[in-house]
Every structure is written in C-alpha cells, then in structure tokens.
C-alpha cells in the first residue's frame, strides 16, 4: 500500500511540474480548434495554413504531407489552435496550388478538431 501511494504522489508531482513548464494551452474546444485538412484527391501532396490563433494573434503552420486515412488523405496540425478566419493552401504533385478560405468556430460541442476539406473535382 505504501509503495502505491508513493508512485501516485510521484506521478502527480511529475504531472504538476510538467504543467508548470509548458506554454499556455488553449482550453480544449472552447477558445479555438486544432486543424486538419483533408481531401479525397490523390494529386494533392501537402498543405499548410495560416490565420488567427486562440490568442487572437497571426499563426502560420509549416507545410505538411497528406497521409492516407479512412476519410481520404489528411494533414493534421494538432500543435496549433485556430479560430476565426483561416486560409489553407494545398500543394499539388504537379507544382500548382489552390487556396481555400474558411471560418473556424471558437467552440464545438463534440471535440476540439476542425476539418478544412478540399472538395474540388480533379
């Protein structure tokens, strides 16, 4: 019994110390959303996005490759929190690009991920 309590206390200490050392996070789903961009097209290689982050500041992602998932092909940007106006640029394998403009809700009832879909036929 004593050993279990020590492990729980030590774990709580690590969690608390880790929380104090991190940057301020957005509250999940209440003041911004993580972003993923998806498409069913096979000729889009990567994507990036920019817009307003959860603090109201400008934020721009790096360019990330699209990965195959159940819904199609997606790039996830879980290390960003967006709200309001958002632009996504998709990079096609032939060197061309396309942009989409979106409005990201501040909160959602189900989770803290918002998806920007590229739906154009190709």
């Amino acid at each position: 019994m004593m050993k279990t309590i020590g492990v729980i206390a030590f774990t709580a200490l690590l969690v608390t110390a880790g929380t104090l050392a991190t940057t301020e996070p957005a509250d999940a789903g209440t003041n911004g959303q993580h972003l993923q961009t998806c498409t069913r097209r096979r000729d889009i290689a990567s994507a990036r996005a920019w817009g307003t982050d959860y603090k109201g500041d400008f934020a721009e992602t790096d360019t990330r490759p699209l990965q195959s998932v159940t819904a199609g092909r997606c790039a996830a940007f879980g290390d960003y929190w967006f709200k309001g106006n958002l632009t996504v640029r998709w990079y096609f394998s032939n060197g061309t690009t396309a942009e989409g403009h979106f409005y990201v809700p501040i909160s959602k009832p189900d989770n803290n991920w918002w998806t920007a879909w590229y739906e154009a036929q190709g």
Side-chain angles (χ1 to χ4, degrees):
M1 184 81 164
M2 189 75 133
K3 189 172 189 178
T4 304
I5 293 171
V7 171
I8 292 169
F10 181 70
T11 303
L13 178 63
L14 286 178
V15 170
T16 303
T19 301
L20 294 175
T22 61
T23 59
E24 176 188 350
D27 294 329
T30 61
N31 61 351
Q33 305 296 315
H34 288 306
L35 170 69
Q36 69 177 351
T37 181
C38 298
T39 184
R40 290 180 181 83
R41 293 182 60 144
R42 293 265 187 240
D43 58 343
I44 297 178
S46 58
R48 71 182 183 101
W50 58 91
T52 306
D53 73 4
Y54 72 99
K55 293 181 183 178
D57 298 328
F58 176 80
E60 184 172 3
T61 71
D62 52 335
T63 301
R64 297 188 183 176
L66 273 69
Q67 306 292 325
S68 293
V69 296
T70 304
R73 300 181 66 236
C74 298
F77 299 94
D79 45 341
Y80 294 88
W81 292 87
F82 287 103
K83 66 179 182 180
N85 295 319
L86 175 78
T87 300
V88 176
R89 180 176 292 157
W90 293 277
Y91 296 89
F92 291 83
S93 51
N94 67 5
T96 60
T97 63
E99 286 186 0
H101 303 280
F102 303 92
Y103 187 82
V104 181
I106 292 172
S107 64
K108 290 176 47 202
D110 54 346
N111 62 44
N112 58 0
W113 282 88
W114 188 83
T115 304
W117 279 94
Y118 184 90
E119 293 290 347
Q121 299 298 312

